[in-house]
Amino acid sequence: MKRSKLSILIRGLVRENPVLVLVLGTCPTLAISTSVSAAIGMGLAATAVLICSNAAISALRRAIPEQVRIPCYIVLIAGFVSVVSMLLEAYAYSLYEALGVYLSLIVVNCIILGRAEMFASKNTVLDSALDGVGMGLGFTLALTAMAAIREVFGSGSFLGYPIPWLSDNPISILSMAPGGFCIFGCMIALVNKLTHGKKKPQGGCAGCPAAEGCQGKECEAK
C-alpha cells in the first residue's frame, strides 16, 4: 500500500509514536526524562541517527546480503552514532556529559533497529528519510513531554531554572524510577484514549498500518 509523503512524515508523532504506541526505546526514555534539556538533546541526537541510518540502509538494501543484514545495520548505525557523539563532545560538551552512556547506546536503540528492519530495508531513500524524521520527532516529543512533567513536579524547575513554590515542595518520587514508570504508563493510557487504541485492521493489507513495510509477506507466511 502506497502512502503519501506527508502521512509517512506525521504518523510517528501520535498514531504510531515509537515510545507511546509502539513502546520502543523505553530505556533511554525512562533514564533521560528527568531533565528537559537532556531529553531534547537525546531526541535530536536519535533523530539525526535515524534519518542518516534509514537513508543509508535504504540506499544499500540491495547490496546487503540477507543473512548478515542485522550486523550490517548495526555497523552503519554505530558509524552515525560515533559522528553524533564526537560532534556533541566538541560543540556541546555539557549535553554530551548529561547524556552519558545513553548516547552510545543509541546504537542498539530498538526504535532505530526496528525502523531499519521494518521500513528502511523495504522502501526508497526519500521515504526512509521521511520515516526517520517522523519517528525521531515522535520520540523527541514523547521524551520532552515526560521530562517536562518530571522536572517541573519532581525537581521544581524547568530547563534548570527554579519554579517558585514548586522548587521548595517538589514531588521527589517523580524524579525517581517509580515516578518515571507512573508517568510513562499514564501517557501511554492518554495516547491510547486519544487514538482509540489499536483497531483491528479491516480489508486485509489495505487496513494494516505496517503494510508498506511488510508488503504482504507476513500474510503470505500465514
Side-chain angles (χ1 to χ4, degrees), residues 107-131:
V107 175
V108 290
N109 190 310
C110 299
I111 299 171
I112 298 173
L113 284 173
R115 299 319 293 174
E117 175 70 9
M118 185 67 188
F119 195 94
S121 63
K122 303 176 180 70
N123 290 273
T124 65
V125 174
L126 178 57
D127 285 353
S128 298
L130 290 175
D131 180 75

Side-chain angles (χ1 to χ4, degrees), residues 27-164:
C27 179
T29 299
L30 293 171
I32 298 297
S33 61
T34 55
S35 164
V36 173
S37 58
I40 294 173
M42 171 60 78
L44 294 179
T47 300
V49 174
L50 257 171
I51 296 169
C52 295
S53 61
N54 268 18
I57 288 168
S58 177
L60 297 171
R61 68 186 187 278
R62 301 188 190 282
I64 297 176
E66 179 72 15
Q67 297 84 351
V68 293
R69 68 186 189 284
I70 299 300
C72 290
Y73 295 166
I74 293 175
V75 169
L76 285 170
I77 294 168
F80 291 118
V81 171
S82 297
V83 171
V84 170
S85 179
M86 287 187 286
L87 287 173
L88 288 178
E89 186 176 10
Y91 299 105
Y93 189 73
S94 59
L95 178 60
Y96 173 81
E97 283 194 318
L99 297 181
V101 68
Y102 294 101
L103 182 60
S104 300
L105 288 176
I106 292 176
V107 175
V108 290
N109 190 310
C110 299
I111 299 171
I112 298 173
L113 284 173
R115 299 319 293 174
E117 175 70 9
M118 185 67 188
F119 195 94
S121 63
K122 303 176 180 70
N123 290 273
T124 65
V125 174
L126 178 57
D127 285 353
S128 298
L130 290 175
D131 180 75
V133 174
M135 291 293 167
L137 289 178
F139 177 59
T140 304
L141 288 174
L143 204 58
T144 303
M146 272 193 67
I149 296 171
R150 295 182 70 188
E151 183 178 356
V152 168
F153 295 101
S155 302
S157 63
F158 186 79
L159 290 172
Y161 296 97
I163 299 174

Side-chain angles (χ1 to χ4, degrees), residues 181-196:
F181 277 103
C182 179
I183 298 298
F184 188 42
C186 290
M187 290 186 66
I188 289 176
L190 176 62
V191 170
N192 189 62
K193 177 67 175 177
L194 292 175
T195 58
H196 306 292

